[in-house]
Amino acid sequence: MSKINAPRGTADTLPADSWKWQAIEEIARQIASCYHFAEIRTPIFESTDLFHRGVGEASDIVSKETFTFNDRGGDSITLRPEGTAGVVRAAIENNLIAQEGSRSKVFYIGPNFRYERPQKGRLRQHHQFGVEAFGVAEPAQDVECILLQMDFYRRCGVQDLSLQINSLGDQESKRRYRDALVAYLSPKADQLSEDSRRRLTENPLRILDSKDPRDQAACEGAPPAGESLSDKSRAHFAAVQKLLAEAGADFTVNANLVRGFDYYTETLWEVTASGLGSQNALGGGGRYDQLVENLGGRPTPGVGFGSGLERLLLALEAQGVSLPDARKPLIWLISHGPAARDACWKLLAELRTAGFAADMDLSDRSVKAQFKMADREKAKFCLVIGDTELADASVVLKNLTTGDQTTVSRADLLETLSIAR
Ligand code: HAM
């Protein structure tokens, strides 16, 4: 029979690597808890409408990249392409932000689905650690999210981080910016790519984000977003920069930074790192002060970020950084003969009950083969039992890293192992 492969653009996390995922997820959870964000888990599929109204019909992510299908009842379902829209839906539906002045700070870790052309750092199923903070319109809330994100990368050990920020301003400023871009690019319409000619009427801000060299050339000298900001938005952005500087965060203002979703207002940011090639954005975020209202909630400001975990692992690997390994050292039990095997089986249960990671051969292999298994499974210690050890209630404890070997009485074994690990 022919074999079936994983769908294009997806990746299996194999047992040898799963500890790395656990390590970054553990760091994410710890940092989120330090900043007082609580976990939220939402479904990986939602009504298609949510993304049309939330993320924006004219965004590439919704118009070209969603996995959308009718379920058996005929409802249109979309696998989530990002986390924010679902979290906003859940916050409204569960009354997390129903009261005047209510606040909610949440984080999530989970998969997202985008039908993109796969390449290094770009998958059709990727995972994000993200946060969303609802209910605070002040610049300090933007900065808290940015600092949390940068802290996350630092704790993971990422180097060469670069933080770029920009502001699109409030709705009024955004409209002015859009008009200014259309006025600048319309006379050059015939120099733009086909996609960007369409964007000129549908979603002109996205042209700035195009990788097509024709679009990049046409955008040179385009008016920066900063020129269209209202006084209020200008003050907000200035305060964000002041707070970031006071917190000691390095950043640059990139006047042409735009991001892939229609919901953004005011502050936007993106963090890149070396070692990632062309898909170098580790994560990005921004403020979305109209999104809750657009999805049927009470007008509530919001801000947050999403950070790709596959890209984080790629960057760490490229930079040669090792993550903290929280795996318990493995103890491998080795027996000479059937009576010793029964004793090992009982000892195995005792060790596991006491919280040690332990294992043994279950298929009657030779002693040599058992030692080989211990090596292959990267055990740190072996416990060897033969006739002598059975007779005097002891075990031979061998440290496989150093090769040191001692005989320990069964009565002292758990204590000796606790010290050794
Ligand atoms: P995003 O910039 O589309 O923002 O995605 C966030 C991060 O997810 C990216 O910087 C990247 O690291 C990773 N990512 C995105 N697409 C892929 C892909 N196809 N393959 C691998 N990694 C990918 C958002 O999703 C917003 N929801 C962020 C946000 C939260 N804004 C406010 N709150």
Side-chain angles (χ1 to χ4, degrees):
M1 286 244 254
S2 60
K3 75 177 166 64
I4 299 170
N5 291 329
R8 206 160 112 76
T10 66
D12 299 307
T13 298
L14 298 174
D17 284 331
S18 54
W19 69 272
K20 294 182 194 160
W21 282 86
Q22 285 158 15
I24 54 175
E25 287 174 13
E26 178 55 26
I27 295 171
R29 285 173 201 288
Q30 286 197 0
I31 196 94
S33 109
C34 290
Y35 282 73
H36 189 221
F37 285 66
E39 185 169 8
I40 188 164
R41 297 189 192 196
T42 64
I44 62 162
F45 62 88
E46 298 271 0
S47 297
T48 297
D49 275 355
L50 175 70
F51 301 110
H52 282 262
R53 272 166 64 191
V55 175
E57 217 128 17
S59 68
D60 283 359
I61 290 168
V62 166
S63 65
K64 293 191 195 157
E65 294 170 3
T66 49
F67 283 86
T68 296
F69 54 94
N70 285 339
D71 67 14
R72 289 175 195 276
D75 292 328
S76 181
I77 292 294
T78 293
L79 300 187
R80 65 176 183 214
E82 58 102 47
T84 311
V87 168
V88 171
R89 196 260 320 129
I92 297 169
E93 192 171 337
N94 297 288
N95 298 324
L96 302 188
I97 43 177
Q99 308 303 321
E100 176 75 34
S102 50
R103 294 178 53 190
S104 183
K105 300 203 296 184
V106 296
F107 81 91
Y108 48 88
I109 299 173
N112 302 288
F113 306 86
R114 298 182 189 177
Y115 195 81
E116 295 191 87
R117 197 168 44 76
Q119 65 179 82
K120 183 183 164 201
R122 191 162 70 193
L123 293 145
R124 290 187 175 166
Q125 173 176 322
H126 74 275
H127 296 75
Q128 282 184 24
F129 161 50
V131 313
E132 313 293 348
F134 299 107
V136 180
E138 277 69 22
Q141 188 62 80
D142 313 28
V143 173
E144 183 184 53
C145 291
I146 298 175
L147 294 178
L148 189 166
Q149 188 181 356
M150 300 308 280
D151 251 2
F152 170 57
Y153 298 140
R154 258 192 299 273
R155 285 203 203 181
C156 288
V158 193
Q159 283 145 29
D160 298 329
L161 289 165
S162 143
L163 165 65
Q164 300 195 357
I165 62 171
N166 193 20
S167 173
L168 298 177
D170 50 21
Q171 269 187 315
E172 196 42 51
S173 317
K174 229 174 129 175
R175 212 166 299 130
R176 260 198 304 274
Y177 182 37
R178 196 188 142 104
D179 291 347
L181 269 183
V182 173
Y184 184 81
L185 291 173
S186 291
K188 305 175 168 196
D190 53 344
Q191 297 162 33
L192 294 172
S193 68
E194 240 162 68
D195 265 351
S196 286
R197 246 172 277 152
R198 179 179 49 78
R199 290 181 185 124
L200 201 52
T201 45
E202 284 176 7
N203 200 353
L205 264 56
R206 297 291 302 149
I207 302 176
L208 292 170
D209 218 14
S210 165
K211 298 270 183 285
D212 191 303
R214 289 170 292 175
D215 298 337
Q216 290 182 344
C219 287
E220 248 167 65
E227 285 178 7
S228 303
L229 293 185
S230 65
D231 288 346
K232 190 161 163 270
S233 293
R234 201 182 300 278
H236 184 102
F237 193 39
V240 165
Q241 294 178 58
K242 180 165 173 278
L243 288 170
L244 279 176
E246 282 169 7
D250 280 336
F251 63 89
T252 49
V253 176
N254 173 352
N256 287 326
L257 176 70
V258 288
R259 295 188 18 84
F261 305 106
D262 291 353
Y263 51 61
Y264 288 122
T265 52
E266 309 288 355
T267 322
L268 292 178
W269 67 91
E270 206 148 83
V271 182
T272 56
S274 64
L276 282 171
S278 64
Q279 302 300 313
N280 66 349
L282 271 186
R287 188 166 265 292
Y288 45 84
D289 288 344
Q290 264 73 49
L291 183 57
V292 176
E293 198 177 348
N294 288 346
L295 292 175
R298 238 176 31 80
T300 307
V303 56
F305 71 81
S307 182
L309 300 184
E310 283 84 359
R311 289 193 193 169
L312 174 62
L313 287 169
L314 276 175
L316 290 172
E317 197 175 302
Q319 297 178 0
V321 177
S322 37
L323 282 159
D325 186 351
R327 282 175 295 180
K328 293 180 182 204
L330 178 63
I331 302 167
W332 200 268
L333 277 62
I334 288 178
S335 56
H336 292 256
R341 206 153 79 84
D342 289 349
C344 278
W345 177 247
K346 288 196 187 109
L347 178 57
L348 184 64
E350 248 179 72
L351 290 171
R352 289 172 172 172
T353 305
F356 293 97
D359 208 349
M360 65 184 270
D361 165 45
L362 301 179
S363 52
D364 215 6
R365 283 170 219 245
S366 69
V367 171
K368 192 171 157 205
Q370 292 179 56
F371 269 108
K372 262 203 183 142
M373 277 179 91
D375 260 349
R376 200 174 331 116
E377 299 294 335
K378 302 198 167 55
K380 177 136 192 244
F381 301 103
C382 276
L383 295 180
V384 189
I385 301 184
D387 289 342
T388 323
E389 290 75 28
L390 278 178
D392 64 5
S394 66
V395 298
V396 174
L397 167 62
K398 181 169 182 188
N399 182 326
L400 292 180
T401 320
T402 59
D404 292 349
Q405 192 165 306
T406 46
T407 299
V408 184
S409 83
R410 282 288 303 272
D412 298 336
L413 181 61
L414 294 188
E415 205 192 325
T416 309
L417 284 172
S418 301
I419 297 164
R421 75 175 166 178

